Amino acid sequence: DAKTTQPPSMDCAEGRAANLPCNHSTISGNEYVYWYRQIHSQGPQYIIHGLKNNETNEMASLIITEDRKSSTLILPHATLRDTAVYYCIVRLRSNDYKLSFGAGTTVTVRA
Amino acid sequence: DAGVIQSPRHEVTEMGQEVTLRCKPISGHNSLFWYRQTMMRGLELLIYFNNNVPIDDSGMPEDRFSAKMPNASFSTLKIQPSEPRDSAVYFCASSFNSGRIETQYFGPGTRLLVL
């Protein structure tokens, strides 16, 4: 699976958009970008995934660059409950049960 | 939808004792995963079942660890004998694998402390 690089931490003001970057420069054509988050003392929670088109759901938006070497997860209106570790994961379609969690980005939403 | 259910939520035991962790996957899901999370190693996949059959157990640390899935609605992870280095949070996850990309849903975890 392609390796991902995320900043170790970032702060965000409550009510503002949080933009979480992820680099995956070695991604191949059939690999998906997945985002999970883990709120303290809870299990990881699925957020969103995409292949090459931008995606949006009730939780977030995923913007994937045209060359697919990087992506951004957008939390449109961050709340204190969005404070968590966010993981960007690249997955092979053919080996799709593998979820390799890296260190992620610790996002702290401040009032 | 009750989500993935794990029990117990917390377990404190003494070294050498047998520990059994339990998981009930989401109804209708056909894949089940056991993960372990520690500060040092992060989240690691221990074993993956598909249709109750173990497919990949390469992450199981050693023979002291065993996992079973007797039916589609129940799985256990057993550690015998337990050691202090087994202290971690153990997560169970389930998904519906139709052969296309699938999404794993995690339970709340079991926090294990081996003294």
Side-chain angles (χ1 to χ4, degrees):
Chain A
D1 291 349
K3 178 182 170 62
T4 62
T5 304
Q6 299 178 252
S9 64
M10 62 181 293
D11 285 0
C12 176
E14 188 179 24
R16 303 295 294 272
N19 298 300
L20 283 62
C22 179
N23 287 321
H24 30 79
S25 58
T26 60
I27 195 170
S28 62
N30 59 348
E31 289 182 314
Y32 286 73
V33 179
Y34 264 69
W35 283 84
Y36 276 77
R37 74 179 182 182
Q38 188 172 22
I39 296 170
H40 182 62
S41 298
Q42 297 182 24
Q45 176 188 25
Y46 165 78
I47 300 174
I48 198 168
H49 74 276
L51 182 61
K52 53 183 178 181
N53 297 322
N54 297 338
E55 302 287 345
T56 295
N57 63 20
E58 64 278 5
M59 289 184 67
S61 295
L62 175 60
I63 309 298
I64 303 174
T65 58
E66 192 168 342
D67 64 7
R68 303 207 326 121
K69 293 183 184 300
S70 66
S71 60
T72 301
L73 179 75
I74 301 173
L75 308 177
H77 305 286
T79 71
L80 298 179
R81 287 175 295 181
D82 292 321
T83 293
V85 179
Y86 287 77
Y87 298 98
C88 171
I89 301 166
V90 171
R91 302 175 67 190
L92 273 172
R93 183 187 177 96
S94 61
N95 193 18
D96 58 10
Y97 67 88
K98 290 284 192 181
L99 275 181
S100 297
F101 290 86
T105 297
T106 299
V107 174
T108 302
V109 181
R110 303 192 185 279
Chain B
D1 184 358
V4 175
I5 298 172
Q6 292 187 246
S7 65
R9 294 292 309 277
H10 302 271
E11 178 80 27
V12 180
T13 190
E14 292 187 344
M15 182 174 62
Q17 297 297 307
E18 177 180 294
V19 175
T20 299
L21 311 181
R22 297 172 176 80
C23 174
K24 177 178 171 57
I26 293 172
S27 177
H29 282 187
N30 60 355
S31 292
L32 185 138
F33 310 81
W34 283 101
Y35 287 84
R36 178 173 67 175
Q37 186 172 34
T38 62
M39 289 293 292
M40 291 294 293
R41 300 174 67 90
L43 265 162
E44 305 172 281
L45 177 64
L46 299 178
I47 187 168
Y48 158 55
F49 291 87
N50 184 248
N51 293 323
N52 310 339
V53 176
I55 303 299
D56 181 358
D57 65 354
S58 60
M60 295 286 265
E62 49 197 272
D63 291 345
R64 297 185 297 106
F65 285 70
S66 62
K68 294 182 180 180
M69 192 164 186
N71 57 62
S73 59
F74 184 67
S75 177
T76 60
L77 178 67
K78 187 175 293 186
I79 308 172
Q80 167 63 18
S82 59
E83 297 183 3
R85 59 190 168 127
D86 301 330
S87 298
V89 182
Y90 291 82
F91 291 103
C92 177
S94 71
S95 71
F96 178 69
N97 191 342
S98 64
R100 301 183 62 186
I101 205 77
E102 50 81 63
T103 299
Q104 295 176 25
Y105 296 89
F106 285 74
T110 295
R111 282 150 185 79
L112 173 65
L113 177 61
V114 183
L115 302 174

